[in-house]
């Protein structure tokens, strides 16, 4: 779950209130001290209270944690508020909030219309399991109560003046109010209402809880004007060729030459739809065949349309989306970096006041820094790195501002994974064996044998492809597999001997390899104990899992184990590492895609639930063939009915998600446009075109561009590394680090200006 900042900053790093002094309402906060600063001399005098020293330490701890998580420091800094603030951002509290959001979003699968049925095909679907009224509403009420508490805590921590400036918190209040009102109406109507407005608002709770999602959404909003200009050009291109097509393929007196007109250019909406689908190549070459078979010259029209639209304008749109979005994302990331620098500067400021020094230059004691670092919630390897850097100044006893900043540069560095030392053997024979089994060529030999094992499986599968499972004799394959598995076990044991137990598990590929080896050995032993091969394949199996199923599982695991070669090939290792980083660090982009899917799925249920009814003859399950079932009615080739697309519908939430995914892929998406336009209204096309523009045109292009950016970043950093170095370095790839080299560092004057305007830390 992304860590949300209490108050989103503007692009230049300042909060929305950075342009004005704190109002009178802000000075009424329950602060226990007041610090005064001379801006010219940068000295401070402190009016000490009973717990003043502990307060300064606690403030520094919170500011450092804000810097690590790129959070805004514009929150209350008195003792009680700091404890509340740290509790709010604790793992258990944030996981609880994230779980509440997940539960609320997942309720759509069990609410009416319920997705709790085995099939989504209306011909075969059994009545879904409908929860009783009040069950899902109880979970929903619990989530809404948690969100209300979340809003109250956030509002208290930033203060009323900052709350009024935060559009997200105001929107949070409005969405919560509407959701609660709609929930009350739903319960009062005994869950019989046709429209639940709050379902459409639920994705907002996911958005507002992620600062990076909000930044991404803001970047998309600012990119829309540039995207709109290209989409307008695309629309002009589409309209121009639509009019030309309607002139070329107009209805004639000869019915034999009206195939193109009848199928694709009968009227303006159908013509626009046909060429729009051709823009995605989903109906190519079908759309041109009726005209092309009459005159090959008609192909020029379709080729020119595709070249200009598909290969020029669509790719130009991808380039513009990436370029513009990347620019705005860079500006947004600049805000995050400024937040980190500001948090570190604020921590130094309060610690320097803690010292009550008289020197002209500010400094902090090393023991105070170490005390702060012992309390900060952060990853252990970063804590160790920062603490080690700070201890270098232990002889002096204090550090300056530049030295304080320098020790926190460790947060921007890669984590170097150090493997444990090799075990020491006294015997020369054992030392020689350790060298052999720990050598890189031994790993290459193991990969070659794994490849040979996969080739054996493929060969036998090809030879037995025409046989049924009862006719296959897999005794030979099982013996071959057993030999290979015994070698895998031997390889694992000698690697443990060469590297030591801790050294063996320090490599991720060894963990993957060893786990699958043990699992394969256990399955193989189970097969021999259970079936006592050779086994009579004609004997009916009385076991829960048949022998063929267990053999299939062994073969699949062996093939899967072949992925062990990935870390040994540099380019493959980088690609795999990029994919893993996308899963870990680009969750915000996938999160917005989830929001878009959720909103369009709910809208689809509202608009098209139950719109498509299967023919009565196909609504009864029988043992007859599909040809007999469909013989009672005739359907046109290539239509929804002929293609048996019945499971793709908007009758429940899960089916809606799958249908939207199929449309996003744009393969045969014209089938869904046609059927819903036929069963409802022509305006249904607007819904599908909007979804295509949002998902396939904009979001998929963004995601592809960010994959390229992520891979380029890692490739540039790894082109001089060996395979071993790639394994050792755990790149902490994040959106902030991808753009790290292009970000401008804030000046000391800018940081102090923002500290002076802190709404709760009064600095003069």
């Amino acid at each position: 779950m992304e860590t949300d900042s209490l108050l989103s900053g503007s692009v230049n790093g300042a909060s929305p209130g950075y342009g004005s002094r704190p109002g009178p309402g802000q000075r009424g906060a329950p602060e226990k001290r007041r610090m005064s600063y001379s801006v010219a001399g940068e000295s401070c005098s402190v009016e000490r209270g009973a717990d003043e020293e502990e307060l300064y330490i606690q403030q520094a701890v919170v500011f450092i944690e804000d810097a690590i998580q790129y959070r805004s420091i514009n929150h209350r800094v008195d003792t009680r508020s700091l404890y509340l603030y740290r509790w709010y951002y604790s793992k258990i509290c944030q996981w609880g909030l994230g779980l509440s959001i997940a539960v609320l979003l997942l309720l759509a699968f069990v609410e009416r219309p319920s997705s709790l049925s085995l099939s989504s095909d209306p011909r075969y679907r059994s009545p879904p399991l409908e929860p009783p009224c009040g069950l899902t509403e109880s979970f929903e009420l619990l989530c809404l109560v948690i969100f209300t508490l979340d809003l109250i805590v956030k509002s208290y921590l930033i203060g009323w003046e900052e709350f009024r400036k935060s559009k997200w918190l105001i929107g949070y209040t409005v969405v919560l109010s509407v959701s609660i009102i709609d929930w009350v109406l739903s319960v009062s109507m005994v869950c019989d209402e046709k429209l639940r407005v709050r379902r459409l608002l639920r994705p907002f709770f996911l958005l507002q809880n992620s600062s990076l999602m909000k930044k991404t959404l803001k970047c998309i909003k600012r990119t829309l004007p540039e995207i709109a200009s290209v989409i307008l050009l695309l629309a002009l291109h589409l309209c121009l060729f639509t009019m030309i097509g309607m002139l070329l393929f107009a209805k004639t007196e000869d019915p034999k030459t009206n195939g193109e007109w009848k199928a694709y250019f009968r009227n303006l909406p159908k013509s626009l739809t046909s060429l729009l689908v051709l823009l995605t190549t989903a109906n190519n070459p079908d759309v041109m065949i009726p005209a092309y078979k009459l005159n090959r010259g008609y192909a020029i029209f379709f080729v020119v349309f595709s070249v200009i639209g598909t290969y020029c304008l669509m790719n130009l749109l991808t380039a513009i989306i990436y370029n513009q979005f990347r620019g705005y994302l860079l500006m947004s990331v600049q805000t995050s970096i400024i937040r980190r620098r500001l948090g570190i500067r604020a921590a130094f400021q309060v610690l320097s006041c803690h010292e009550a020094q008289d020197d002209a230059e500010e400094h902090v004691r090393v023991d105070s820094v170490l005390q702060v670092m012992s309390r900060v919630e952060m990853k252990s390897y970063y804590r160790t790195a920062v603490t080690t850097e700070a201890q270098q100044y232990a002889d002096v006893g204090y550090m300056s501002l530049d030295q304080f900043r320098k020790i926190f540069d460790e947060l921007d560095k890669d984590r170097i994974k150090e493997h444990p030392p090799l075990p020491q053997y006294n015997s020369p024979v054992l030392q020689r064996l350790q060298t052999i089994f720990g050598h890189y060529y031994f790993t290459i030999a193991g990969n070659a044998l794994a490849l040979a094992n996969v080739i054996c499986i493929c060969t036998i599968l090809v030879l037995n492809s025409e046989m049924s499972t009862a006719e296959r004799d897999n005794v030979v394959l099982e013996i071959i597999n057993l030999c290979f598995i015994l070698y895998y076990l031997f390889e694992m044991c000698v690697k443990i001997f060469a590297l030591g137990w801790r050294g063996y598990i320090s490599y991720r590929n060894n963990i993957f390899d060893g786990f699958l080896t043990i699992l394969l050995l256990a399955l193989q032993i189970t097969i021999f104990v259970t079936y006592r091969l050779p086994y009579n394949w004609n004997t009916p199996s009385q076991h829960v899992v048949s022998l063929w199923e267990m053999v299939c599982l062994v073969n699949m695991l062996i093939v899967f184990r072949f992925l062990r070669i990935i870390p040994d090939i540099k380019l493959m290792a980088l690609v795999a590492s990029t994919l893993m980083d996308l899963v870990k660090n680009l969750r915000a982009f996938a999160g917005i895609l989830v929001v878009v899917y959720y909103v369009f799925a709910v809208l689809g249920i509202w608009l098209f639930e139950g719109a498509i009814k299967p023919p009565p003859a196909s609504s009864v399950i029988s043992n007859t063939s599909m040809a007999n079932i469909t013989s009672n009615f005739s359907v046109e080739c290539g239509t929804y009915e002929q293609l048996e697309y019945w499971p793709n519908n908007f009758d429940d939430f899960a089916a809606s998600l799958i249908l939207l995914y199929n449309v996003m892929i744009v393969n045969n998406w014209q089938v869904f446009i046609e059927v819903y336009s036929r069963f409802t209204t022509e305006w249904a096309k607007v819904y599908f075109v909007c979804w295509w523009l949002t998902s396939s045109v904009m979001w998929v292009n963004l995601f592809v561009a960010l994959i390229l950016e992520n891979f380029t970043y890692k490739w540039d950093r790894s082109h001089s590394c060996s395979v071993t170095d790639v394994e050792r370095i755990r790149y902490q790839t994040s959106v902030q680090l991808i753009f790290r080299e292009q970000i401008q560092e804030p000046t000391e004057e800018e940081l102090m200006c923002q500290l002076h305007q802190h709404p709760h830390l009064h600095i003069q």
Side-chain angles (χ1 to χ4, degrees), residues 424-594:
Q424 301 296 323
Y425 298 104
N426 297 324
S427 171
V429 176
L430 294 180
Q431 292 176 359
R432 183 61 178 169
L433 290 175
Q434 183 183 30
T435 303
I436 294 173
F437 295 138
H439 199 276
Y440 179 67
Y441 287 154
F442 183 74
T443 302
I444 297 298
N447 292 338
L449 283 174
L451 177 61
N453 194 182
V454 172
I455 292 175
C456 290
I457 294 174
C458 291
T459 302
I460 294 178
L461 288 177
V462 170
L463 294 176
N464 296 340
S465 59
E466 297 295 331
M467 300 181 184
S468 65
T469 56
E471 296 172 339
R472 299 185 183 188
D473 186 0
N474 284 290
V475 175
V476 176
L477 179 60
E478 279 301 288
I479 294 175
I480 293 175
N481 283 346
L482 179 61
C483 295
F484 279 107
I485 291 172
L486 290 177
Y487 172 79
Y488 298 153
L489 183 63
F490 166 76
E491 182 187 36
M492 183 182 70
C493 293
V494 297
K495 278 189 175 182
I496 294 175
F497 161 77
L499 301 175
W501 175 251
R502 293 182 58 194
Y504 180 83
I505 63 175
S506 67
Y507 292 88
R508 287 171 290 181
N509 57 322
N510 281 345
I511 297 175
F512 171 80
D513 194 21
F515 173 75
L516 287 184
T517 298
I518 294 173
L519 187 58
L520 283 169
L521 183 64
L523 280 172
Q524 202 70 27
I525 293 174
T526 303
I527 288 175
F528 282 103
V529 169
T530 305
Y531 292 94
R532 293 181 174 85
L533 294 180
Y535 175 70
N536 185 4
W537 293 86
N538 296 321
T539 305
S541 177
Q542 303 297 325
H543 303 280
V544 177
V545 180
S546 68
L547 177 58
W548 170 245
E549 291 172 340
M550 298 186 73
V551 171
C552 283
L553 182 58
V554 169
N555 292 337
M556 285 188 290
L557 288 176
I558 290 174
V559 174
F560 190 61
R561 185 184 178 277
F562 186 64
L563 296 177
R564 57 173 276 171
I565 68 169
I566 289 178
D568 298 322
I569 302 176
K570 180 178 177 181
L571 183 58
M572 291 181 64
L574 284 176
V575 172
S577 180
T578 301
L579 293 176
M580 293 300 295
D581 277 331
L582 286 173
V583 175
K584 293 186 294 184
N585 299 314
L586 296 184
R587 290 173 295 176
F589 303 96
I592 295 183
L593 186 60
V594 169

Side-chain angles (χ1 to χ4, degrees), residues 163-178:
F163 173 83
R164 292 193 306 172
K165 300 170 187 175
S166 175
K167 296 179 181 178
W168 280 101
L169 289 182
I170 294 175
Y172 198 4
T173 306
V174 173
V175 170
L176 261 177
S177 302
V178 173

Side-chain angles (χ1 to χ4, degrees), residues 603-705:
L603 286 175
I605 293 174
W606 287 0
L607 296 173
F608 307 118
E609 181 188 357
I612 300 179
K613 302 292 184 183
S618 65
S619 60
V620 179
I621 302 177
S622 64
N623 295 325
T624 57
S625 65
M626 186 57 64
N628 293 332
I629 292 177
T630 58
S631 61
N632 294 330
F633 62 97
S634 60
V635 292
E636 185 179 350
C637 183
T639 59
Y640 182 91
E641 293 85 354
Q642 187 270 329
L643 293 172
E644 297 287 331
Y645 278 5
W646 302 106
N648 295 284
N649 53 63
F650 287 102
D651 292 349
D652 59 68
F653 188 76
S656 302
L657 294 177
I658 299 300
L659 193 151
L660 290 175
Y661 172 77
N662 292 334
V663 174
M664 185 179 74
I665 300 301
V666 301
N667 186 31
N668 270 358
W669 71 298
Q670 73 275 10
V671 174
F672 303 111
I673 296 178
E674 186 275 332
V675 71
Y676 279 100
S677 300
R678 174 158 45 92
F679 277 89
T680 56
T681 173
E682 287 289 330
W683 289 102
K685 295 178 180 178
V686 176
Y687 171 87
F688 288 98
V689 172
C690 288
W691 170 246
W692 169 71
L693 287 173
T694 304
S695 61
S696 185
V697 172
M698 185 169 181
W699 195 249
V700 171
N701 286 334
L702 274 177
F703 204 68
V704 169

Side-chain angles (χ1 to χ4, degrees), residues 249 260 285 287-300 302:
F249 309 116
E260 190 72 33
V287 68
M288 64 181 287
I289 293 300
Y292 181 61
K293 69 182 180 182
L294 298 177
N295 188 335
R296 68 180 67 199
Y298 284 127
I300 298 175
F302 297 99

